[in-house]
Structure formats: C-alpha cells, structure tokens
C-alpha cells in the first residue's frame, strides 16, 4: 500500500483528448518526495530545453504535495509547474485553499497536461470518473464566476475548482490560476493553462488517504496544533506586527500599514513616502476594511485564517489574502478602497497581484516621460484611478498597448525600445519583484534575490530574523526557545548581529554565515513545496511549528519512508539541484543572478562577488552557477551531468571526480 | 409521573460566526473513526460537515443526526443571499434521499457519537481541533423523568425495527443479555 500519496497520476493528452491513470514509481517518492520534487523530475525527463512555453510539448503539472490530504495542519498546497512564458525558465507557483487535498481524495497525486486542446475545455475529475468537457460557454467568464457555474452545472457544490479568467485565455504572461480563496499567480502559469485550452479543473474525491504509522502521525499533528496555539498566545516581541505570529502575513487582520506604506515604494517601485501614514489615513483605511470585509477565512485544515471575504461597494464578493491588499493601492498612489475594488476585478480576470499593478505603473511612467504617447492610449481617462481600470482592461484583452504590456515590464520594454528598458527596473530574471528599494546592502538578501529560482523573495526568506535586535538581552531572549534551528551555530550568528558597528550589514553576517543562513532558509521552502505545506506554518515565519526536526518524523510516520534529518536535507538538495539543472539547460547562468541594480543604494561589488562564489561552492555549483559533476554524482543525478556533457554545458573533464572524493563516496 | 433521574447532557455549541471554513473538524472526525484509529482520513466519512459558501458568507457546521429509513414527506429548499441551496442542504439526517452522512463505499449511515468510543476522549475530537472556538463543548446535568426516557427508547427501537426488522432486534437483545 502507498501511504500519504495515492501512487497515481492523471496523464491528460489534450491534443488527442486522451486520459490515462498511471501508477508512479515509489522510488521516485523516496528520492524526490513529491510535489515540487517529483514535478521537477518529470519536467527534466520530458520537457527538453528547446520546448517553448506555448508549445504543445510543454507540460502543465498540478501536483498535490506528499502530505496533502493527511491530517497535518496546513498541508494543502497545490504546486503548479511548467515552463514560464515570462522567464522561459521553470515555473513553480503554489496555491493554498482546498484543491490539492480534494485531488488526493479523488485518488491522484498529480494531473499532468500535455498537448493543446483545439477548443476551450474543462476537466472534471470525480473519483474514478474523469472527463474532458466542453467549456465554450465559459469563454471570457471570470475565474471565480467560472467556478460557480461549473459547480452548478455539475450539481456538485463540493467540487473544488481551479480556473483561469480572461487573462489566462488571452495568454497574459502574468495570468494566474484562481481557486476561490487562493491562487497560483506568479510566473504566468495561467497563461500556459489558457494556451492549452483549459478553462478549469474541477475535482471531487471521496476516498481515503492512509498514513503509515497512525498513532505516531496523529501525535505529531497534535503537537503542531498545540504549538500553534502557543504561538498564537505568545507573539514574538520586537518585530513588526505581521512577523509576530504564524500564517501568511496577516494582512487581512492588520489595520496598521505604517510599515508597508512608508517602507515599500509607490508607483513604479520608485517613490518612497516616509511620512505617509497618519491618523486620518489610519481611520479611513480601517473604515474601508471594516465596511468591506465580512470574515477571515482559512485554507483547508488550518486555523490561521489569513484570507478574507471582501465586498467592495457595488461589486461582487471575492476572497483576498496577503499583500495584494496594497499592491494596486500603492502602484496607483491611491487608497485602500481603490485597492480593494480593482483587486476584485483583477481576480476575476485572473492576473497576478504583484506584477499587474507594476506593469500598469510602468506604462504610465513611460507615458509621463514621453516614451509612450497619447497615440498609445486612445480614450484613456485622465484621472489616475480611471487610468488603472482602463489599462487593466486593455491588458487582459490584449488590445492596443495592452498587447505589449501583457508580456510584463521586461518584454514590453524590449518591444517598446526608446529607452523603455530603464523603466523596467524592478525585475529579476525578467520577472517583477516586490517594490522595495533600500539603502545598505544586506548580504543574506543579496544571495536570496540573486539565486532564488522561485523568483519571489517571500518564497525563499524566512526563519531567520530580517533585522538584528538592538539589544543583546533581547537577542538572548529570542534564541532561548529557538529550537527550530537545524544547528546551534545559527543562534550565535544572531546573538552577535548588531544594527551598527563592526558586526552589522554588509560585512556581518559574514560571507560564510550568510551562505549558511540562505541555505537553511531555502531548504525549508523546498521541503514545504514537496510536502505541500503552507510556508506560513513552516518556512516563512519565525519559530514555526514545522521545522527540520519534526519534518523527518512526519515523512516517516505519514508516508512510510524511512527518514532522518540528513536524508531529508539530501533529498531537498537533490530536487533543488534538479530545478537548477532544468534552468541551466534552458540557458540560465551567473549573469542572470542579480538583484535589480537599484535595489540597494550602497553596493559592494567585491563582497557580492565573494558571496556568490562562496554560495555556489556550498551548493556544489561551479563559478557559473552550474552544478558540478561531483555534486551531481553525490546526489545520484549522474543523468544530469551526462546530459550537460552531451550539450556542452559541462566539459568531459570539468569537475571530474578527484580520487579523494570517489573513495569517500565508496566508503559510505 | 415517573421517577426523577439525572442525566448528563452533552452539547457541542456551534458559533457559526467564528467558523473560518477550514474543515479541520471533518478531517479529525474521519481520522478518529478510521480503523485502526487515525490510519486514514476522508472528510466524506466525517460525521460533521461544514456547509461552506464563502461568497455568500455561509458557514454552517452540521452534525450527522439520526438515520431515517424513509425520506421526509416534503422537502425544504433554502435560498440565502440569492442562492438556492441543495434540497435538504442543512438537514442532519442520514436519509435515503441523498448521500450525505453515509459511508461513501458501503452507504451505511453515519452518526455523530460524540466520540464516545474508547478510550473516552476528554472532549469530542472536532472540538479539540477547532482551535478558533467555533465549536465548544458543554456538559450539564439535567433532571429527567424515567417515563420520558422510555418514550425516547421506544422511538429508537421503532427506527431500529424499521431498519433491521423486529426479529433481528429480539435476537440481538437476547444475545446481549447472555453476554452479561
Ligand atoms: S497559514 Fe494561512 S495561508 Fe497558510 S494554510 Fe493556513 S490559512 Fe492558508
Ligand atoms: S474546525 Fe471549526 S472553524 Fe474549521 S470548519 Fe470546523 S467548525 Fe469551522
Ligand atoms: S463529536 Fe466526534 S463523532 Fe461527532 S462529529 Fe465531532 S468528531 Fe465526529
């Protein structure tokens, strides 16, 4: 029997309309765990680097994590993987909500799409019955609206539906996949879904998910719940409100936005408004929030309620979470009411709440600077908010200038030319980033921005405090019950970190420490993404309930795979390296690994070089960021180095095993 | 008048305003009632179901009540905030008219047993796992009259007789008293 996972994938060939239920190899689960890990293996095996994002040969994979559907609190992530139209690299966007557990109960771990459907369809998975159904009547419908229409026509209110809106259908490079309370919105996964002609996937399942060691497993779950209760009652002192507790940043429960509004940039990630927040605004925004919000809501099997239902005046209700609360507001230099209104529309269209506002602000900046002119904006209203509505509409329909903007700031700037590139200043690997511009280089963040392949800072940071505590006694208090650290040395790193003086940024944490910290932080995210765990209970917050010490036990008791900390570290390293290998094979190199030029005012080229060199070494990559033969061999990824040699990415003698290492490997 | 007797009334108080729709209660109920305990889970086997319609702010945890051999004479249909709900959507019964509160494979009826399985639980599991306190547990003592209980028993027996036939019940009672 398979535990935690179902052991079956659905393979859907859209071109031929063929559906297959395929048993998976349990050895892959041991090596790559599940979710992101096994997705990466499939993409490596089946999508060669020549395949374009919008080619029928590109795959679109919806995967539940290994532990989704078990009673492990907060384990509900769907990991969507494909090749991104925006970065042309591997995309792995995640969504919470209810979809992944339902897929498990229906009897599948993944749905893998290949080919293209000649007309718009949706997939209906009802336990063993799986059918491709016509969706022509849903064309142009909103993502949330589509979900309701499908539930109604199937007469299955309990079906969970993931759908795209108009933006996905029109292949907007930053189109999202929406699922009621949650969305997979980064890297254009919705565009690939639209390109394949899939409007939605509805799923309903009523089967069991088994765990290997029931008593041990439930004990672990109860410990996690107890610790969540403890953390809810004991917020962490000395950090800003949204970092005190667990969950995704509790933006829906937070009224005080002084920190975000005064530290993040407004407009096209340019304007800092240091004295923005005042009593009047606080009052006004609170009123907006209270009048539009009905309830705080959770994802499947999680008490944290990080989302909310929002009903803007005169508009339908939708569900919102996290920071999309402020992205539109700040890009348009407007207020919360506008933010809530346009975000509702944007969600029906199905676009990413990070990239979209930035693209629109970018367009208006080009307009103000004469790079785009009136001819590009025929009929655009003159008021600022009206312009944002107008632009959103053009973009999702790919009309006029909208057709250019629909490809994101990087590609739009290339197409527009005339110096527009200067204005697409906030991307990494061609993808829009959070609007943060700071003063002093932070070595840990430098590494995360540069090398992260999930392309979003929130998907690699966490665990380690973002800034030092001013007083040593507070740092001592912090480390006292910090049992989540994988190694005691991290406590010392933090204890000695000062806001000023010798032990402060950029030279402290030291290069080696920075590498260790980033490696730990990233590892936890990769583990979450294989298990299907919400990062809000694990890799993102300080002192989370899931960590390096209980995860191996969860995997052993849940999936019946013998696991310890070393083995888990090794597995995570294996599929993390595989993700890199996919991207290396698609052309990514060291030159692409850098934060936006203007991210920090004070830069230190030599230090940055040393950071990257050292980090690459730690990761087992050569100076160009390419995994070495040695490290690939150690991870059991010889098939990758063979491919690299064949393609001339690594030369035959490069990184050949030295005598020493090979005897060492033999000893093991 | 019959004799006075005290009995313990167990109540799960449902504060729908505090429900966030997470369905943790369904998860743990189905896991607790798996054999062996916690060896599997499947919300479709849970004895509590959360009727959840976030866009209309409907969050109603419903507990599986009695099994009924025959469906109601009439049906009820709720319209809330402009949306029509399934017929009998908010009913607690395990009833032939629908598949709610039945084992998905065998179709056997499910009923909330307040987790009175052994070992006895401090609190029903769904309450323990609802840490947002939408579900809370109360016990109170109540004086009841013997006769009333008998009446209740009769209703219960009638239902059993409907389901299994009177003969089978007599057999079972006989067998049970032999065990004692
Ligand atoms: S912590 Fe928040 S985002 Fe994460 S699973 Fe729970 S409710 Fe969802
Ligand atoms: S566990 Fe509580 S909050 Fe969650 S769905 Fe059940 S009743 Fe609602
Ligand atoms: S009290 Fe026990 S049996 Fe009843 S619904 Fe709750 S968990 Fe299930």
């Amino acid at each position: 029997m398979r535990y935690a996972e179902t052991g079956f994938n659905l393979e859907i060939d859209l071109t031929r309309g063929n559906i297959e239920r395929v048993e998976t190899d349990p050895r892959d689960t041991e090596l790559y765990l599940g979710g992101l890990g096994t997705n990466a293996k499939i993409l490596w095996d089946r999508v060669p680097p020549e395949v374009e994002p919008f080619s029928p040969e590109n795959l679109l994979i919806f995967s539940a994590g290994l532990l989704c559907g078990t009673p492990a609190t907060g384990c509900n992530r769907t990991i969507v993987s494909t090749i991104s139209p925006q970065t042309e690299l591997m995309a792995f966007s995640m969504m919470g909500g209810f979809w992944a557990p339902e897929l498990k109960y229906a009897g599948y771990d993944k749905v893998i799409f290949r080919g293209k459907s000649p007309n718009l369809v949706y997939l209906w998975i009802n336990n063993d019955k799986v059918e491709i159904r016509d969706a022509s009547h849903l064309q142009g419908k909103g993502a949330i609206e589509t979900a309701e229409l499908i539930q109604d026509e199937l007469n299955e209110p309990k079906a969970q539906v993931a759908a795209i809106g108009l933006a996905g259908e029109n292949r907007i490079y930053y189109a999202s996949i929406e699922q009621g309370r949650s969305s997979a919105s980064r890297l254009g996964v919705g565009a690939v879904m639209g390109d394949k002609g899939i409007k939605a996937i509805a799923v309903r399942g009523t089967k069991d998910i088994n765990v290997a060691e029931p008593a041990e497993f439930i004990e672990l779950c109860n410990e996690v719940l107890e610790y969540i209760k403890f953390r809810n009652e004991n917020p962490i002192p000395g950090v800003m409100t949204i970092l005190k507790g667990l969950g995704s940043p509790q933006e829906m429960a937070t009224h005080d936005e002084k920190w975000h509004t005064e530290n993040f940039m407004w407009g096209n990630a340019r304007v800092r408004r240091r004295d923005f927040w005042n009593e009047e605004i606080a009052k006004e925004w609170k009123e907006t929030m209270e009048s539009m919000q009905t309830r705080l809501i959770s994802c499947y099997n999680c008490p944290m309620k990080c989302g909310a239902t929002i009903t803007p005046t005169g508009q339908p209700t939708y569900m919102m979470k996290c920071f999309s609360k402020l992205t539109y507001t700040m890009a348009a230099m407007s207020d919360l009411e506008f933010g809530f209104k346009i975000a509702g529309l944007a969600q029906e269209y199905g676009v990413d709440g990070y990239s979209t506002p930035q693209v629109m602000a970018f367009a208006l900046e080009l307009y103000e600077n004469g790079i785009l002119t009136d001819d590009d904006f025929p009929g655009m209203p003159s008021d600022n908010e009206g312009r944002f509505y107008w632009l959103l509409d053009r973009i999702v329909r790919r009309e006029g200038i909208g057709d250019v903007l629909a490809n994101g700031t990087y590609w739009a700037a290339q197409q527009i030319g005339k110096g527009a590139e200067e204005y697409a200043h906030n991307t990494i690997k061609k993808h829009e980033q959070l609007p943060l511009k700071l003063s002093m280089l932070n070595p840990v963040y430098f590494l995360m921005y540069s090398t992260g392949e999930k392309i979003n800072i929130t998907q690699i940071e966490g665990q380690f405090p973002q800034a030092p505590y001013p007083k040593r006694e507070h740092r001592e208090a912090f480390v006292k019950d910090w049992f989540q650290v994988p190694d005691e040395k991290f406590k010392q790193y933090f204890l000695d970190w000062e806001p000023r003086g010798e032990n402060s940024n950029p030279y402290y944490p030291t290069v080696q420490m920075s590498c260790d910290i980033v490696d730990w932080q990233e590892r936890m995210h990769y583990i979450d993404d294989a298990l299907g765990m919400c990062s809000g209970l694990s890799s993102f917050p300080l002192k989370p309930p899931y960590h390096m010490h209980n995860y191996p036990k969860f995997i052993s008791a849940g999936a019946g795979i013998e696991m310890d900390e070393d083995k888990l570290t090794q597995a995570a390293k294996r599929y993390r390296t595989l993700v890199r290998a996919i991207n290396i094979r698609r052309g990514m190199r060291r030159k692409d690994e850098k934060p936006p030029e203007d991210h920090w005012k004070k830069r230190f080229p030599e230090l940055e070089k040393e950071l990257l060199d050292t980090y690459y070494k730690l990761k087992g990559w050569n100076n160009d960021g390419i995994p070495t033969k040695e490290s690939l061999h150690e991870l059991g990824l010889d098939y990758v180095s063979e491919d690299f040699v064949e393609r001339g990415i690594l030369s035959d003698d490069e990184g050949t095993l030295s005598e020493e290492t090979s005897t060492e490997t033999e000893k093991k | 008048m019959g004799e006075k007797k005290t009995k313990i009334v167990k109540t799960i108080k449902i504060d729908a305003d505090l429900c966030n729709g997470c369905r943790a209660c369904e998860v743990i109920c189905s896991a607790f009632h798996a054999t062996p305990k916690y060896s599997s889970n499947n919300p479709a086997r849970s004895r509590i179901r959360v009727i959840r319609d976030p866009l209309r702010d409907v969050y109603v945890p419903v507990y599986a009540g009695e099994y009924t051999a025959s469906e109601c004479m009439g049906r009820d249909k709720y319209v809330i905030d402009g949306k029509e709900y399934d017929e009998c959507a908010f009913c607690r019964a395990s009833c032939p008219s629908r598949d709610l509160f039945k084992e998905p494979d065998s179709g056997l009826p499910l009923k909330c047993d307040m987790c009175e399985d052994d070992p006895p639980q401090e609190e029903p599991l769904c309450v323990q796992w609802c840490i947002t306190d939408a579900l809370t547990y109360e016990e109170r003592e109540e004086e009841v009259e013997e006769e009333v209980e008998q009446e209740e028993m009769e209703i219960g027996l009638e239902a059993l007789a409907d389901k299994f036939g009177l003969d089978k019940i007599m057999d079972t009672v006989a067998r049970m008293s032999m065990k004692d």
Side-chain angles (χ1 to χ4, degrees):
Chain A
M1 181 160 33
R2 303 284 278 267
Y3 296 103
E5 58 179 348
T6 65
F8 288 94
N9 290 344
L10 272 177
E11 292 271 358
I12 316 284
D13 183 337
L14 292 157
T15 310
R16 296 189 304 144
N18 192 45
I19 299 171
E20 254 178 290
R21 178 173 172 267
V22 180
E23 191 165 358
T24 57
D25 187 344
R27 280 171 304 183
D28 280 345
T29 314
E30 280 218 57
L31 291 172
Y32 309 97
L33 304 183
L36 171 64
T38 36
N39 281 6
K41 177 73 167 71
I42 293 168
L43 284 179
W44 172 269
D45 287 345
R46 291 168 53 183
V47 183
E50 304 76 37
V51 171
E52 305 274 338
F54 293 145
S55 147
E57 274 90 61
N58 189 8
L59 298 182
L60 177 65
I61 310 175
F62 286 73
S63 180
L66 178 61
L67 296 182
C68 288
T70 71
T73 294
C75 199
N76 50 43
R77 258 44 188 174
T78 306
I79 299 95
V80 185
S81 304
T82 186
I83 303 300
S84 159
Q86 201 173 20
T87 62
E88 298 180 329
L89 303 173
M90 176 175 169
F92 40 118
S93 216
M94 255 86 48
M95 57 184 174
F98 295 78
W99 199 88
E102 199 71 33
L103 182 70
K104 284 288 206 52
Y105 298 131
Y108 313 99
D109 300 317
K110 294 184 201 291
V111 185
I112 304 167
F113 293 100
R114 64 177 186 276
K116 265 187 209 195
S117 167
N119 40 16
L120 198 63
V121 294
Y122 74 90
L123 189 72
W124 169 218
I125 306 168
N126 186 7
N127 290 318
D128 296 336
K129 221 172 110 220
V130 184
E131 46 180 330
I132 298 172
R133 296 173 64 116
D134 176 55
S136 49
H137 58 299
L138 299 171
Q139 191 151 16
K141 293 272 192 269
I144 308 167
E145 195 186 359
T146 296
E148 288 227 300
L149 289 168
I150 288 178
Q151 285 171 335
D152 284 350
E153 76 180 43
L154 297 172
N155 195 21
E156 273 287 351
K158 293 198 201 86
Q160 301 296 341
V161 183
I164 54 168
L166 192 57
E169 286 178 40
N170 287 338
R171 309 196 304 184
I172 310 308
Y173 280 16
Y174 38 93
S176 60
I177 299 169
E178 299 286 334
Q179 184 225 146
R181 196 204 156 284
S182 308
S183 58
S185 55
R186 301 293 278 164
L187 297 157
V189 287
V192 176
M193 187 158 162
D195 179 64
K196 296 205 169 298
I198 315 158
K199 180 69 180 172
I201 316 173
V203 56
R204 170 75 181 134
T206 59
K207 299 189 197 179
D208 300 345
I209 288 295
N210 301 298
V211 294
E213 296 160 32
E216 289 79 359
F217 193 79
I218 208 72
E219 173 77 39
L220 290 163
C221 293
N222 282 324
E223 279 169 21
V224 160
L225 259 192
E226 279 307 314
Y227 189 69
I228 291 175
K229 278 195 244 172
F230 169 82
R231 283 285 280 102
N232 287 349
E233 283 153 20
N234 296 279
I236 290 176
V239 293
M240 66 174 129
T241 326
I242 55 165
L243 295 179
K244 285 180 188 302
L246 297 173
S248 297
Q250 293 286 334
E251 278 298 311
M252 293 301 115
T254 306
H255 292 300
D256 183 358
E257 290 293 358
K258 181 177 169 62
W259 192 83
H260 277 131
T261 53
E262 295 187 351
N263 285 290
F264 279 51
M265 297 288 158
W266 295 66
N268 183 25
R270 285 229 206 255
V271 190
R272 183 149 176 200
R273 297 165 90 177
R274 280 176 201 277
D275 301 310
F276 173 76
W277 196 250
N278 59 36
E279 249 173 62
E280 201 182 317
I281 291 172
K283 190 167 156 260
E284 189 190 306
W285 287 28
K286 189 165 181 230
E287 271 165 24
T288 302
M289 180 66 105
E290 279 169 355
S291 68
M292 292 187 182
Q293 188 191 86
T294 23
R295 187 186 291 255
L296 296 176
I297 55 176
S298 275
C299 301
Y300 185 75
N301 193 18
C302 178
M304 294 314 302
K305 43 184 196 296
C306 315
T309 27
I310 304 282
T311 314
T313 326
Q315 271 177 233
T317 302
Y318 68 100
M319 290 167 259
M320 176 183 259
K321 68 263 148 193
C322 297
F323 195 56
S324 50
K325 172 184 173 187
L326 294 184
T327 51
Y328 291 96
T329 297
M330 291 180 68
M333 313 277 280
S334 182
D335 57 16
L336 191 60
E337 183 177 348
F338 165 76
F340 278 162
K341 284 191 159 167
I342 194 165
L345 272 177
Q347 209 177 84
E348 279 288 16
Y349 286 142
V351 284
D352 176 25
Y354 282 61
S355 288
T356 313
Q358 224 168 95
V359 173
M360 298 192 287
F362 156 82
L364 291 174
E365 213 181 57
L366 292 180
Y367 178 58
E368 277 154 30
N369 289 282
I371 295 176
L372 292 175
T373 64
D374 282 329
D375 294 343
D376 298 304
F377 301 95
M380 181 169 76
S382 56
D383 67 300
N384 193 38
E385 297 176 351
R387 287 174 166 180
F388 271 75
Y389 286 115
W390 186 89
L391 277 169
L392 179 61
D393 205 62
R394 289 297 153 305
I395 290 172
V396 297
R397 290 174 209 285
R398 276 192 179 273
E399 277 172 17
I401 191 68
D403 191 32
V404 177
L405 297 172
N407 298 343
T409 54
Y410 174 85
W411 296 108
Q414 302 282 311
Q415 211 172 324
I416 295 165
K418 297 183 248 174
E421 292 90 340
E422 292 287 299
Y423 297 81
H425 67 113
N426 199 36
T427 61
I428 299 176
K429 294 167 186 154
K430 310 185 177 71
H431 198 66
E432 293 80 13
Q433 300 298 312
L434 272 185
L436 260 173
K437 300 293 159 199
L438 303 163
S439 169
M440 174 57 78
L441 178 96
N442 175 327
V444 172
Y445 273 78
F446 170 80
L447 281 176
M448 291 193 293
Y449 277 116
S450 301
T451 63
E453 272 159 277
K454 286 170 80 180
I455 323 277
N456 210 43
I457 193 66
T458 56
Q459 297 299 319
I460 181 169
E461 66 182 344
Q463 308 270 353
F464 200 86
Q466 296 187 0
Y469 283 16
K471 287 209 183 113
R472 188 164 181 103
E473 62 194 83
H474 293 153
R475 300 200 288 270
E476 274 163 4
F478 181 87
V479 302
K480 229 195 278 156
D481 61 353
W482 199 14
F483 60 84
Q484 288 86 350
V485 290
D487 190 305
E488 290 295 305
K489 68 184 175 194
F490 290 103
K491 292 185 181 172
Q492 201 57 47
Y493 292 178
F494 182 64
L495 280 174
D496 297 338
W497 192 16
E498 307 268 356
R500 263 168 295 276
E502 224 173 90
N503 275 8
S504 73
N505 286 346
Y507 293 106
Y508 193 97
T510 65
V511 170
Q512 192 57 51
M513 289 174 192
S514 298
C515 291
D516 288 344
I517 293 169
V518 174
D519 186 54
W520 166 34
Q521 293 181 312
E522 188 184 70
R523 184 186 319 142
M524 298 319 293
H525 279 279
Y526 273 79
I527 297 174
D528 288 349
D529 297 350
L531 304 185
M533 185 59 67
C534 171
S535 63
L537 293 174
S538 175
S539 45
F540 185 78
L542 300 166
K543 301 186 181 172
Y546 294 99
H547 42 79
M548 206 51 206
H549 309 305
N550 63 1
Y551 259 157
K553 297 181 197 161
F554 265 99
I555 298 170
S556 300
I561 299 170
E562 218 182 287
M563 195 54 76
D564 56 33
E565 290 180 28
D566 290 340
K567 203 174 158 199
L568 181 56
T569 304
Q570 186 78 347
K573 191 171 179 189
R574 181 176 300 119
Y575 58 80
R576 195 271 168 265
T577 306
L578 198 53
V579 168
R580 168 139 300 226
I582 291 170
N583 289 336
I584 289 290
R585 199 164 68 162
R586 298 191 69 87
M588 188 189 78
R589 293 292 183 273
R590 182 176 183 134
K591 63 175 174 14
D592 303 301
E593 305 229 282
K594 49 175 196 245
E597 276 314 314
D598 59 358
H599 188 82
W600 290 284
K601 262 204 210 88
K602 294 181 200 148
R603 298 289 291 261
F604 299 80
E606 263 171 45
L607 173 64
E608 292 174 20
K609 181 179 175 299
E610 197 192 336
L611 278 163
L612 216 48
D613 287 348
T614 316
Y615 188 67
Y616 279 177
K617 209 168 280 163
L618 173 76
K619 289 293 215 189
W621 306 338
N622 71 16
N623 244 350
D624 213 8
I626 304 169
T628 62
K629 275 193 190 170
E630 259 173 308
S631 66
L632 288 167
H633 177 73
E634 205 181 297
L635 294 165
L637 299 177
D638 287 327
Y639 59 88
V640 173
S641 47
E642 279 157 30
D643 186 271
F644 278 179
V645 171
E646 218 164 278
R647 291 176 192 277
I649 294 170
L650 286 178
S651 65
D652 234 344
D653 51 2
E654 196 174 341
T656 314
L657 291 171
S658 66
E659 296 295 356
E660 235 169 89
T661 329
S662 42
T663 41
E664 216 178 76
T665 326
E666 268 167 24
K667 263 189 257 160
K668 275 183 195 166
Chain B
M1 286 290 263
E3 243 176 273
K4 299 256 187 197
K5 218 185 138 188
T6 57
K7 74 165 185 180
I8 292 176
V9 182
K10 301 178 168 185
T11 313
I12 294 174
K13 202 175 109 206
I14 304 158
D15 187 342
D17 288 343
L18 291 179
C19 177
N20 59 44
C22 71
R23 299 170 62 196
C25 46
E26 298 180 9
V27 174
I28 195 60
C29 177
S30 66
F32 179 69
H33 289 90
T35 349
K37 263 198 179 54
Y38 304 116
S39 60
S40 68
N41 91 98
N42 177 358
R45 293 189 202 281
S46 168
R47 293 129 202 250
I48 177 171
R49 288 309 157 76
V50 183
I51 297 168
R52 179 184 173 276
D53 188 353
L55 297 180
R56 284 158 203 87
D57 203 40
V58 172
Y59 290 82
V60 189
V62 177
Y63 282 86
E66 292 307 320
Y67 162 79
T68 71
S70 57
E71 49 199 76
C72 297
M73 296 292 288
R75 301 284 172 85
D76 43 13
K77 193 161 204 167
Y78 285 84
V79 178
I80 304 176
D81 211 1
K83 172 162 170 156
E84 253 187 36
Y85 286 79
D86 264 6
E87 271 183 359
C88 315
F90 298 93
C91 176
R92 297 183 57 184
S94 172
C95 140
S97 78
R98 57 182 191 165
D99 57 15
L100 190 70
F101 297 137
K102 286 184 194 148
E103 295 282 5
D105 27 28
S106 64
L108 285 173
L110 293 164
K111 183 188 158 185
C112 165
D113 60 7
M114 298 298 263
C115 299
E116 275 176 348
D117 237 310
D118 65 349
Q121 302 294 311
E122 221 169 275
E123 270 189 341
L125 267 293
C126 53
V127 173
Q128 288 184 36
W129 271 49
C130 180
I131 70 168
T132 43
D133 287 345
L135 310 175
T136 45
Y137 181 66
E138 280 169 13
E139 267 180 20
R140 63 171 192 278
E141 282 190 0
E142 223 170 55
E143 290 211 320
V144 284
E145 283 172 22
E146 201 65 79
E147 250 173 342
V148 180
E149 273 211 341
Q150 253 162 25
E151 233 170 75
E152 254 179 33
M153 193 152 90
E154 234 162 77
I155 298 174
L157 272 175
E158 253 168 49
L160 277 177
D162 273 351
K163 193 173 156 198
F164 299 107
L166 211 50
D167 287 348
K168 244 207 175 131
I169 294 178
M170 306 278 266
D171 277 358
T172 315
V173 174
R175 223 171 338 115
M176 280 164 66
S177 42
M178 264 161 64
K179 264 194 229 160
D180 286 348

